[in-house]
Amino acid sequence: MSSSDDVAPTPDPYALLGFIRNPNGSITRVPDIFPTSPPSSHPADNLTPVLTKDIPVNPDHKTWARVYLPSSAPQSPTTKLPLIVYFHGGGFVVCSAASSMFQKFCCDIAHRIPAVMVSVEYRKAPEHRLPAAYDDCLEALHWIKATDEEWLIKYADLSRCFLMGTSAGGNIAYNAGLRAVVDQLTPLKIRGLILQAPFFSGVEWTPSEMRSVNDAVLNLRMNELMWELALPVGVDRDHSYSNPVRAPKYEVLDKVKREGWKVLVTIYRGDPLVDRVVEFVKMLKDKGVDVVEMIGNGGFHGSDLMDDYEATIFYGVLKNFILAF
């Protein structure tokens, strides 16, 4: 038997995402492949010192937000907590604001910073291709600025707002942030972006992406498939949605700079996206954007989401970044 016979075949990316590919090219979603957790707004029901509740944003689009409130939130109007608006990962095609791993992650952040968090449930591709997710997340920001939701009015400092996202959510935080910086969101004042292994791409694969053929978390074929499903029909991965280095929006970045936003970018050297993210950080710095970067050794895509030790390190970096404002 040759050595090539011993190489395990690359898993079907459709199956890994919980999709059944139909003969006509459409997909059927396998239900319940990604575990979810319900909200809990009653302290006695909560296993963490954080309360949660879900609130509709746009019923027509079936979008909503899960709000996280530390149970120890100060009662004084002069000591409100910073607000983090969070966009979950999943390659634009899977997972939700109710996914258990993102529920735990947001609870930990809300407790450790402490901060009020709003995790946005946005529409998924391929049923709703980009820019649907960007539209939904910008709409959520407008909902936040105008809502009479008690937890946000009473406990959140709208003048200290941060847009944060993991993987595809980091891409959303960036692209929705570029829209928000030229929009009218008063009294909501965005101070910065927090991009955790942001999911970017390009027509030409980088060396770190080329090494990811058999990556356990984000292999090359899955990477490619998620972009095939998410991008508008007829465009390639050098579109501005996926490749901000090849298709930069310099005028908007100048506005980001003038507004004094800071951008925290985190990635691990073992992440297939690391080369892409390093290029992105260089582009931001070349435009004069104030960037704080954390490149960890080893790791994998989602290390600081799925590994408790790495998550603890990330929480410390995040807390220092937010409390500097």
Side-chain angles (χ1 to χ4, degrees):
M1 181 180 292
S2 66
S3 60
S4 62
D5 293 330
D6 298 329
V7 177
T10 301
D12 174 16
Y14 285 91
L16 291 175
L17 293 171
F19 295 161
I20 298 172
R21 191 178 188 183
N22 301 317
N24 65 358
S26 66
I27 64 161
T28 298
R29 293 178 180 268
V30 177
D32 304 325
I33 191 169
F34 298 99
T36 60
S37 298
S40 176
S41 59
H42 303 289
D45 299 335
N46 234 15
L47 299 178
T48 65
V50 176
L51 308 180
T52 56
K53 62 177 163 181
D54 293 345
I55 304 172
V57 173
N58 185 332
D60 291 337
H61 290 166
K62 298 181 181 179
T63 58
W64 48 274
R66 179 160 293 184
V67 184
Y68 294 77
L69 176 70
S71 56
S72 59
Q75 300 293 320
S76 170
T78 61
T79 55
K80 291 184 176 182
L81 299 175
L83 172 66
I84 302 173
V85 183
Y86 180 72
F87 312 118
H88 68 81
F92 307 103
V93 298
V94 295
C95 297
S96 80
S99 294
S100 297
M101 63 178 171
F102 297 118
Q103 162 91 353
K104 177 183 182 302
F105 188 59
C106 289
C107 280
D108 286 347
I109 291 172
H111 172 59
R112 289 169 182 261
I113 301 300
V116 175
M117 292 192 71
V118 176
S119 180
V120 179
E121 175 64 6
Y122 52 85
R123 288 172 292 172
K124 307 297 184 300
E127 297 89 345
H128 305 281
R129 291 174 177 266
L130 296 174
Y134 306 151
D135 295 341
D136 293 343
C137 292
L138 186 63
E139 183 176 39
L141 296 179
H142 280 274
W143 170 78
I144 291 170
K145 82 167 188 178
T147 186
D148 58 0
E149 162 52 41
E150 178 188 7
W151 285 4
L152 293 176
I153 291 175
K154 191 172 181 180
Y155 299 106
D157 183 353
L158 299 188
S159 70
R160 284 193 295 157
C161 176
F162 301 85
L163 307 186
M164 175 180 172
T166 302
S167 191
N171 176 300
I172 293 171
Y174 177 71
N175 281 290
L178 294 189
R179 293 183 176 198
V181 77
V182 296
D183 208 344
Q184 178 52 254
L185 290 169
T186 307
L188 194 66
K189 183 174 177 58
I190 297 169
R191 297 302 188 100
L193 307 178
I194 300 155
L195 313 180
Q196 196 183 16
F199 188 34
F200 295 126
S201 191
V203 169
E204 295 185 9
W205 296 117
T206 66
S208 64
E209 289 166 337
M210 290 295 291
R211 293 192 296 269
S212 71
V213 172
N214 295 310
D215 190 87
V217 178
L218 183 63
N219 69 62
L220 190 63
R221 182 64 188 106
M222 180 182 289
N223 184 332
E224 183 180 38
L225 175 61
M226 289 190 292
W227 284 114
E228 288 175 4
L229 297 173
L231 285 170
V233 174
V235 309
D236 62 28
R237 293 191 305 274
D238 278 342
H239 192 278
S240 62
Y241 296 163
S242 47
N243 194 345
V245 173
R246 179 61 65 90
K249 298 181 178 180
Y250 287 144
E251 290 185 5
V252 183
L253 289 175
D254 285 339
K255 175 73 169 175
V256 168
K257 179 182 175 181
R258 291 195 303 272
E259 289 293 316
W261 288 16
K262 288 189 176 183
V263 181
L264 171 62
V265 183
T266 67
I267 191 78
Y268 283 83
R269 298 192 190 280
D271 190 321
L273 302 181
V274 64
D275 291 349
R276 190 77 59 187
V277 171
V278 168
E279 292 176 351
F280 169 71
V281 168
K282 182 179 184 302
M283 183 269 291
L284 293 181
K285 289 183 175 180
D286 287 347
K287 286 304 298 177
V289 176
D290 191 348
V291 180
V292 178
E293 60 182 307
M294 186 192 84
I295 303 179
N297 291 323
F300 52 88
H301 189 67
S303 282
D304 42 9
L305 175 68
M306 294 181 269
D307 182 284
D308 288 342
Y309 175 77
E310 300 296 348
T312 300
I313 295 174
F314 172 73
Y315 298 148
V317 173
L318 178 63
K319 183 170 185 174
N320 290 338
F321 179 80
I322 289 177
L323 297 186
F325 291 87

